[in-house]
């Protein structure tokens, strides 16, 4: 291996900083080729620590350094490639540093860079060290004053955190602006934007009467795509006051949209920077899913103002403190804005698609990891989504009021501090007088618990007993796991399909409750309920109260019974998923042994009864109709067989469509839009249901009427949701319709990079056999660029993560293509390179031939010269080395 093994950083090695910074004064002389940065720091020794002043720095040219006005000689400090250290300093002093950076060369998009000709920054996690020498760690919090100077004609808009203090004209066509942020913050929340941008403005009055100016800055011409993001922002501000009593704390809140961005968005104090695709939306350019995502991300970044900014993380191991909590908050917000069960279903789908495989694979880590090489690799589904589940479980245990008490105490204790996950749990305990000692294990133990449930009924005593057992498999570096405290919500359905009141044996429960959260905290535990009539069917893990893998001894008929009757809509959906998964797995077995798959029609009948139920939300019915994905099905197999999974799933879908053809056509017709597009939940639900019906009807690919139906759907669509729903189907048709639609789409949207991502992505996900050839060709398309993360994710990332059948092609070309692209991207943008690598780590679940091919690509990646720490960590861990 050519690269030296980078060093892992460990939680147990945490030490407080030797010096603290009270105030940062920054001055930027902005030029694309060479920006000068002057920083003046008010520094004082930390009484709780010792050692030299350690400043991080990366790709900086040091121009000068002075302490209390006296320039330091080279021998007075130690300058390494990644840090600068000074010893023998007074307890309190001013440090002046001048550096030079090259924004135009910054293709990593960390620190100060250019996007579409405008300056912008991204500092989380460790980008500030690419701007100036600084203790780049979240437990150093300071107030900031920022002055920037730039050419007025090219960069009329100059923004930073906090309030605009003053502005003026300079010489030679320059102008300047000075901003001040009164709230102490870690440097990862610093931001600066300078550019030629259009502004979409509104305002908000907080509960206590503060007027806040709200502005969204976008490229000229995109002003008409900001209304929904603005509306989402205003709704988030109100919701956070109502639900958590949290008000906005400054007079300005700015959002800036940029095209080149490593992730979705960033919560910099009062100056959120967003990936354009997470802001811009119009009915003609964004799907309903895009609208939902924009609403959630705008809310997420806004909510960080309290959970992340006012109270931040002591160190990066505590990332879930702000991310898990903020995801939980944005999930709750969306759930209040839209249908709660549908939101829960969507979140669980995401958890299962992204976090469960991560937790079962070589990259498994606890929500509070214990070591990392590159922290950017830990912005994971585990830290975010499982982190949110852990917060949700606390809410389940403490109740909504108890949880709110805990949150209040957390802010009372820790406002303006950098704290740990432990501090959060302690606040929850102290506010409620409870002991969460056992529950804490969720923070340190990785892996998804397997929960097995059986039950017994004693007719003589009318006693129903749940018999629970739990086990968490070993994960890299963690063996012999402990049983967790799992809050498991259950119910019992009578033969009439109604909930039975729950009376737990040994408790004098006076109130009639139909759902109960059990405290399941041992390896094996029984819970009994009295007065239960015969024939009751249990409903387990209602609302997905705990993020576990459940296996329960349901018969096929019991699953269908739950699918038709469970009052807990999440579990009704869950029963449909379990039933479909079971049936498809059986068909896979038949296909693998060379037999014809056998179709059983019970599932279609249960589906039809839900489709015909006028009391159900169409958005929910659409979820019920969506079969488990090929990836999810394959994860339930010992050795993944994507081809067989694809065949079985298609066969099953086609069979359902054949049986329900009449009602599907009726559903499709009923949904024909007559009203203007609106992104509200009810309209989205109607579109989702109609498109779900079309999805089934399209399985009659050989029927001319059905092909025409999809083509017509595409051609007559008056919104992006319908257009994409049809395009996704045409994309798998082998005839001319596909090419015609793709060409029309390109023609229509070639000027809109956000929409063109969809065009690249849909093609990357095609099931047609020549997809890889087409993808390779698309890398030379004028709209594609390796420097734009959205494009790489849309084409390369989507192919590897969302097109398993073609990615795992027999000849190994899919693997080779991904590895080639990772090696190429490593030199341009290591964060993006490392984030598309995970599918190669799935080799353990493949057959020996594929295992060998995948491992050899991982080895080839590891042999790359100048391999970044980002890619090294992901590739070596994926191969099974414990880094
Ligand atoms: N906090 C940022 C993510 C930063 C990722 C750095 N690699 C966005 C968010 O979670 O809100
Ligand atoms: Zn976040």
């Amino acid at each position: 291996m050519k690269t030296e093994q980078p060093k892992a950083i460990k939680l147990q090695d945490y030490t407080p900083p030797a010096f603290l910074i009270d105030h940062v004064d920054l001055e930027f002389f902005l030029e694309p080729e060479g920006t000068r940065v002057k920083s003046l720091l008010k520094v004082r020794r930390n009484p709780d620590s010792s050692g030299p002043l350690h400043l991080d720095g990366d790709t900086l040219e040091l121009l000068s350094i002075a302490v209390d006005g006296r320039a330091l000689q080279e021998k007075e400090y130690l300058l390494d490639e990644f840090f600068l250290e000074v010893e023998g300093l007074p307890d309190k002093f001013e440090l002046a540093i001048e550096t030079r950076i090259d924004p135009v060369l910054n293709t990593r998009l960390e620190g100060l860079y250019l996007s579409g000709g405008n300056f912008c920054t991204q500092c989380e996690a460790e980008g500030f060290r690419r701007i100036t020498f600084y203790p780049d760690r979240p437990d150093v919090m300071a107030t900031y004053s920022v002055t920037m100077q730039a050419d007025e004609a090219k960069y009329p808009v100059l923004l930073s955190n906090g309030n605009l203090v003053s502005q003026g004209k300079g010489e030679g066509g320059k102008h300047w602006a000075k901003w001040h942020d009164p709230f102490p913050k870690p440097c990862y929340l610093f931001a600066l934007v300078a550019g030629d941008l259009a502004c979409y403005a509104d305002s908000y009055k907080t509960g206590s009467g503060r007027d806040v100016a709200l502005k969204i800055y976008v490229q000229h011409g995109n002003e008409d795509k900001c209304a929904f993001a603005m509306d989402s922002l205003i709704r988030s501000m109100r919701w956070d006051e109502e639900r958590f009593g949290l008000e906005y704390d400054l007079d300005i809140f700015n959002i800036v949209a940029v095209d080149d961005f490593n992730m979705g968005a960033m919560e910099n104090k009062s100056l959120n920077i967003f990936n354009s695709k997470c802001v811009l939306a119009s009915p003609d350019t964004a799907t309903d899913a895009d609208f939902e995502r924009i609403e959630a991300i705008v809310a997420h970044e806004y909510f960080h103002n309290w959970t992340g900014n006012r109270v931040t993380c002591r160190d990066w191991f505590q990332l879930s403190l702000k991310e898990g909590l903020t995801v939980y908050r944005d999930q709750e917000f969306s759930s209040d804005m839209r249908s709660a069960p549908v939101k829960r279903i969507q979140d669980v789908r995401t958890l299962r698609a992204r976090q469960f495989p991560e937790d079962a694979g070589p990259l498994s880590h606890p929500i509070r990891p214990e070591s990392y090489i590159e922290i950017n690799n830990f912005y994971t589904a585990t830290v975010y989504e499982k982190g949110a589940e852990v917060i949700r479980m606390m809410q389940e245990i403490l109740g909504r009021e108890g949880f709110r008490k805990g949150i209040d105490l957390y802010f009372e204790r820790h406002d303006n501090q950098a704290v740990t996950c432990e501090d959060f749990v302690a606040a929850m305990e102290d506010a409620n007088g409870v002991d969460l000692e056992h529950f804490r294990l969720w923070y340190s133990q990785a892996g998804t618990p397997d929960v097995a449930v059986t039950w017994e009924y004693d007719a003589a005593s009318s006693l129903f007993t749940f018999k629970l057992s739990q086990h968490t498999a070993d994960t890299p570096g963690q063996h012999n796991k402990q049983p967790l405290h799992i809050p498991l919500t259950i119910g019992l359905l009578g033969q009439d399909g109604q909930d039975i009141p729950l009376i737990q044996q040994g408790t004098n429960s006076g109130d009639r409750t139909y759902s109960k959260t059990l405290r399941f905290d041992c390896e094996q535990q029984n819970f009994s309920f009295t007065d239960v009539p015969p024939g009751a069917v249990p409903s387990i893990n209602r609302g997905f109260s705990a993020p576990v893998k459940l296996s329960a001894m349901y018969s096929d008929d019991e699953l269908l019974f739950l699918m038709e009757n469970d009052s807990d809509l999440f579990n009704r959906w869950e029963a449909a998923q379990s039933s479909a998964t079971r049936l498809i797995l059986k068909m896979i077995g038949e296909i693998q042994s060379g037999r014809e798959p056998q179709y059983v029609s019970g599932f279609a009948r249960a589906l039809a009864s839900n489709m015909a139920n006028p009391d159900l939300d169409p958005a929910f019915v659409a979820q019920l109709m969506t079969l488990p994905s090929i990836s999810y099905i394959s994860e339930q197999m010992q050795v993944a067989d994507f081809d067989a999974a694809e065949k079985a799933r298609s066969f099953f879908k086609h069979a359902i469509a054949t049986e329900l053809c009449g009602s599907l056509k009726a559903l499709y017709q009923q949904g024909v839009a007559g009203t203007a597009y609106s992104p509200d939940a009810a309209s989205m639900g109607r579109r989702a249901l109609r498109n779900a019906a079309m999805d089934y009807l399209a399985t009659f690919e050989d029927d001319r009427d059905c092909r025409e139906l999809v083509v017509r759907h595409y051609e007559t669509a008056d919104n992006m949701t319908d257009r994409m729903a049809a395009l996704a189907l045409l994309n798998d048709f082998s005839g001319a319709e596909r090419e015609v639609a793709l060409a029309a789409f390109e023609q229509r949207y070639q000027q809109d990079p956000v929409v063109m991502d969809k065009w690249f992505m849909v093609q990357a996900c095609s099931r047609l056999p020549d997809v890889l050839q087409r993808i390779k060709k698309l890398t030379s398309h004028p709209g594609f660029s390796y420097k734009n993360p959205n494009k790489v994710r849309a084409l390369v990332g989507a192919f590897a993560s969302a097109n398993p059948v073609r990615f795992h092609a027999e000849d190994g070309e899919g693997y080779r293509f991904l590895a080639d692209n990772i090696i190429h991207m490593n030199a341009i943008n290591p964060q993006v390179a490392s984030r598309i690598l995970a599918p190669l780590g799935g080799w353990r679940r493949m057959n020996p031939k594929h295992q060998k091919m995948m491992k050899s690509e991982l080895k080839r990646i590891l042999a790359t010269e100048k391999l970044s720490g980002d890619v090294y960590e992901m590739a070596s861990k994926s191969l099974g080395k414990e880094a």
Side-chain angles (χ1 to χ4, degrees):
M1 197 191 309
K2 302 237 170 38
T3 316
E4 257 183 58
Q5 187 171 323
K7 236 185 90 208
I9 298 168
K10 295 197 163 66
L11 169 59
Q12 69 195 37
D13 294 341
Y14 172 84
T15 49
F19 287 86
L20 300 172
I21 313 231
D22 291 320
H23 184 71
V24 180
D25 210 318
L26 294 171
E27 237 182 308
F28 288 84
F29 301 90
L30 294 165
E31 296 287 350
E33 272 88 26
T35 286
R36 261 190 317 128
V37 186
K38 284 166 92 172
S39 119
L40 187 63
L41 309 177
K42 287 201 188 333
V43 191
R44 75 185 146 91
R45 186 171 281 287
N46 183 358
D48 300 334
S49 194
S50 60
L53 173 71
H54 180 95
L55 305 174
D56 301 290
D58 184 3
T59 27
L60 299 174
E61 185 187 338
L62 179 66
L63 301 178
S64 67
I65 173 165
V67 172
D68 287 330
R70 187 183 72 80
L72 297 189
Q73 306 295 307
E74 262 181 51
K75 60 177 188 307
E76 291 181 273
Y77 56 85
L78 175 66
L79 180 61
D80 169 271
E81 193 185 348
F82 294 114
F83 64 85
L84 189 162
E85 270 184 6
V86 195
E87 279 189 276
L89 288 162
D91 283 351
K92 210 169 173 192
F93 57 94
E94 275 196 352
L95 181 68
I97 296 180
E98 195 171 343
T99 50
R100 192 175 173 280
I101 49 180
D102 273 314
V104 81
L105 298 181
N106 186 353
T107 57
R108 298 170 68 122
L109 314 184
E110 295 170 50
L112 179 70
Y113 65 94
L114 289 162
S115 175
N118 299 323
F119 288 97
C120 63
T121 54
Q122 172 54 37
C123 293
E124 186 177 1
E126 297 179 333
F128 195 72
R129 63 186 61 186
R130 292 162 58 84
I131 294 176
T132 183
F133 287 100
Y134 194 81
D136 191 356
R137 43 188 295 167
D139 55 356
V140 173
M141 297 170 82
T143 54
Y144 281 64
S145 299
V146 179
T147 311
M148 67 201 101
Q149 195 193 80
D151 185 278
E152 185 169 13
K154 286 195 199 138
Y155 313 104
V157 175
L158 303 176
L159 307 171
S160 190
N161 316 91
N163 301 312
L164 178 64
V165 180
S166 52
Q167 55 188 328
K169 307 251 178 218
E171 284 171 12
K174 299 271 196 294
H175 72 149
W176 60 270
K178 180 170 183 177
W179 291 75
H180 175 72
D181 181 1
F183 289 97
K185 64 168 177 287
C187 64
Y188 82 84
L189 291 172
F190 162 80
L192 170 159
V193 169
D196 187 4
L197 297 160
C199 174
Y200 180 90
D202 208 326
S203 65
Y204 177 74
K205 202 187 238 338
T206 68
S208 70
R210 178 199 283 273
D211 284 310
V212 187
L214 309 176
K215 291 183 178 156
I216 302 183
Y217 290 91
V218 293
Q219 263 172 32
H220 292 282
N222 281 336
E223 300 89 322
D224 60 343
K225 297 195 198 108
C226 299
F228 185 75
M230 182 62 90
D231 182 53
S232 305
L233 174 61
I234 292 172
R235 283 184 284 123
S236 316
M237 295 177 93
R238 193 172 305 127
W239 184 88
D240 216 14
E241 290 180 8
E242 285 166 5
R243 174 74 178 265
F244 288 111
L246 298 172
E247 229 183 81
Y248 188 58
D249 51 11
L250 281 162
D251 301 332
I252 307 180
F253 189 85
N254 288 324
I255 288 179
V256 178
V258 300
D259 285 348
D260 306 283
F261 205 64
N262 280 344
M263 61 272 163
M266 177 64 209
E267 71 263 24
N268 317 299
K269 182 83 188 184
S270 76
L271 178 53
N272 286 188
I273 300 183
F274 272 61
N275 190 323
S276 307
K277 68 186 266 192
C278 301
V279 176
L280 304 177
S282 74
D284 194 44
T285 59
T287 61
D288 290 342
D290 295 329
F291 276 95
E292 285 177 332
R293 198 184 55 234
I294 290 169
E295 181 176 86
I297 296 183
V298 167
H300 180 98
E301 305 311 330
Y302 172 73
F303 295 155
H304 267 315
N305 188 54
W306 279 94
T307 48
N309 301 4
R310 286 287 286 259
V311 180
T312 195
C313 302
R314 184 193 74 173
D315 54 74
W316 292 121
F317 296 101
Q318 318 297 329
L319 186 57
S320 200
L321 172 77
K322 74 176 178 84
E323 295 305 347
L325 178 54
T326 307
V327 170
Y328 167 75
R329 275 151 55 64
D330 83 55
Q331 290 178 346
E332 287 293 284
F333 167 73
S334 297
S335 160
D336 279 356
M337 295 297 122
R338 294 166 187 281
S339 148
V342 171
K343 175 65 181 155
R344 192 69 188 126
I345 290 167
Q346 289 168 335
D347 289 340
V348 172
R349 269 195 210 277
T350 309
L351 190 78
R352 283 187 176 145
R354 297 181 49 227
Q355 200 278 325
F356 279 19
E358 184 169 272
D359 229 354
L363 302 168
S364 173
H365 53 277
I367 66 166
R368 185 185 55 216
E370 247 130 64
S371 101
Y372 60 77
I373 290 176
E374 171 52 64
I375 185 57
N376 283 319
N377 285 332
F378 283 82
Y379 288 74
T380 57
T382 298
V383 166
Y384 275 64
E385 269 79 30
K386 185 175 180 184
E389 293 300 321
V390 170
I391 301 286
R392 183 176 296 281
M393 285 191 283
M394 278 190 261
Q395 203 251 213
E396 195 81 25
I397 292 166
L398 303 171
R400 217 191 238 217
E401 270 180 40
F403 185 77
R404 171 66 196 269
K405 278 200 260 169
I407 285 275
D408 289 350
L409 184 62
Y410 174 66
F411 288 117
E412 195 183 308
R413 282 183 179 170
H414 301 298
D415 192 12
N416 289 319
Q417 292 178 12
V419 302
T420 61
C421 298
E422 173 53 32
D423 292 318
F424 184 85
V425 180
M428 286 290 152
E429 283 180 316
D430 296 347
N432 290 282
V434 295
D435 179 357
L436 293 171
E437 190 50 36
H438 189 177
F439 183 82
R440 278 177 173 78
L441 209 49
W442 281 101
Y443 280 90
S444 54
Q445 188 167 288
T448 311
D450 286 305
V451 171
V453 185
T454 59
W455 49 89
E456 271 174 17
Y457 181 66
D458 181 45
S461 57
S462 302
L463 196 70
F464 189 101
T465 302
F466 287 91
K467 302 182 143 196
L468 312 180
S469 66
Q470 60 166 301
H471 171 75
T472 307
D474 291 351
T475 54
Q478 279 193 348
H479 309 284
N480 304 322
K481 312 265 186 176
Q482 304 296 308
L484 289 152
H485 171 183
I486 297 173
L488 198 70
T489 303
I490 53 97
L492 285 170
L493 272 74
Q495 280 179 337
D496 58 358
Q498 301 296 311
D499 279 318
I500 296 171
L502 299 172
I503 305 161
Q504 195 174 345
Q505 195 185 36
T507 60
N508 47 354
S509 151
D511 48 311
R512 288 162 77 85
T513 140
Y514 296 101
S515 276
K516 190 162 177 61
T517 304
L518 307 174
R519 182 190 164 113
F520 170 36
D521 58 6
C522 308
E523 213 169 301
Q524 295 194 340
Q525 224 168 328
N526 293 353
F527 295 88
S528 297
F529 292 85
T530 57
D531 296 344
V532 177
V537 179
S539 169
I540 307 160
N541 205 17
R542 283 188 152 174
F544 207 66
S545 62
V548 300
K549 287 185 185 163
L550 186 73
S551 62
M553 59 174 210
Y554 291 121
S555 67
D556 293 348
D557 285 345
E558 281 169 332
L559 281 180
L560 297 179
F561 175 78
L562 289 171
M563 181 175 161
E564 283 192 70
N565 296 291
D566 203 327
S567 64
D568 183 86
L569 288 185
F570 175 85
N571 263 9
R572 195 185 280 217
W573 170 81
E574 181 76 322
Q577 293 289 296
S578 307
S579 176
T581 306
R582 198 182 271 189
L583 293 167
I584 295 171
L585 286 171
K586 205 167 136 264
M587 291 171 190
I588 292 175
E590 287 157 354
I591 291 172
Q592 286 177 329
S593 56
R595 281 175 287 150
E596 277 291 304
Q598 294 302 304
Y599 172 67
V600 214
S601 69
F603 181 86
R605 277 201 298 275
L607 198 57
S609 100
N610 281 283
M611 281 159 57
N613 184 342
D615 297 333
L616 291 174
D617 174 2
F620 171 76
V621 180
Q623 289 291 343
L624 206 70
M625 290 168 71
T626 310
L627 298 176
S629 71
I630 294 168
S631 301
Y632 178 76
I633 295 162
S634 306
E635 269 153 40
Q636 321 305 314
M637 303 169 73
Q638 285 294 11
V639 177
D641 182 342
F642 296 102
D643 276 323
E646 148 87 21
K647 283 198 185 83
R649 188 180 185 273
S650 299
F651 172 86
F652 186 49
K653 202 159 133 190
H654 186 269
I656 295 169
T658 309
E659 187 171 336
L660 304 184
C661 187
S663 15
L664 287 165
K665 282 188 173 155
L667 215 55
Y668 181 81
Q669 288 309 333
Q670 276 162 26
V672 172
T675 47
Y677 178 90
S678 156
D680 65 87
S683 318
M684 282 189 187
R686 283 194 296 273
R687 278 188 291 278
L689 186 57
R690 181 167 179 245
N691 287 332
M694 173 174 68
D695 190 48
Y696 277 93
L697 293 173
T699 60
F700 306 119
E701 210 190 307
D702 303 328
D703 176 315
R704 230 190 57 210
D705 287 351
C706 286
R707 282 178 95 95
E708 270 175 27
L709 178 138
V710 182
V711 171
R712 213 168 41 246
H713 194 89
Y714 180 79
E715 287 171 351
T716 57
D718 65 354
N719 62 76
M720 187 55 102
T721 306
D722 290 339
R723 192 168 293 127
M724 280 312 293
L727 189 62
L729 296 172
L730 292 171
N731 186 45
D732 290 335
F733 286 4
S734 47
E737 296 99 331
R738 174 183 198 265
E739 305 314 319
V740 173
L742 284 168
F745 192 98
E746 182 188 12
Q747 181 67 27
R748 182 175 180 138
Y749 293 111
Q750 53 193 337
Q751 303 306 332
D752 188 330
V754 170
V755 181
M756 283 302 280
D757 289 345
K758 298 184 192 305
W759 186 77
F760 284 112
M761 191 185 287
V762 78
Q763 296 185 76
C765 295
S766 172
R767 272 185 277 154
L768 297 182
D770 62 345
V771 60
L772 188 56
Q773 271 57 50
R774 289 166 180 259
I775 293 174
K776 285 182 179 165
K777 239 173 100 188
L778 285 170
T779 59
S780 328
H781 187 278
F784 182 85
S785 164
Y786 277 109
K787 289 201 176 147
N788 178 259
N790 289 0
K791 295 289 171 288
V792 179
R793 281 189 288 257
L795 197 58
V796 185
F799 169 68
S801 64
N803 195 350
V805 175
R806 297 296 164 214
F807 174 63
H808 295 282
E810 279 304 306
D811 57 6
E813 277 299 318
Y815 306 147
R816 200 162 308 135
F817 173 73
L818 179 62
D820 284 346
N821 277 276
I822 290 168
I823 292 167
H824 183 63
M825 283 305 293
N826 174 63
I828 300 173
N829 186 332
Q831 245 188 78
V832 172
S834 123
R835 286 196 88 91
I836 55 176
L837 190 145
L840 283 173
W843 58 266
R844 285 169 188 75
R845 307 200 37 264
M846 302 300 297
N847 61 40
K849 179 185 159 198
H850 283 78
Q851 288 200 0
K852 201 168 153 223
M853 295 191 293
M854 291 170 92
K855 286 202 278 190
S856 100
E857 293 305 331
L858 284 168
K859 287 180 192 150
R860 185 159 71 87
I861 293 170
L862 279 171
T864 306
E865 280 196 49
K866 294 201 185 135
L867 193 64
S868 59
D870 309 55
V871 177
Y872 170 78
E873 179 171 38
M874 292 294 275
S876 57
K877 286 184 178 170
S878 295
L879 253 184
K881 303 186 180 178
E882 290 194 2

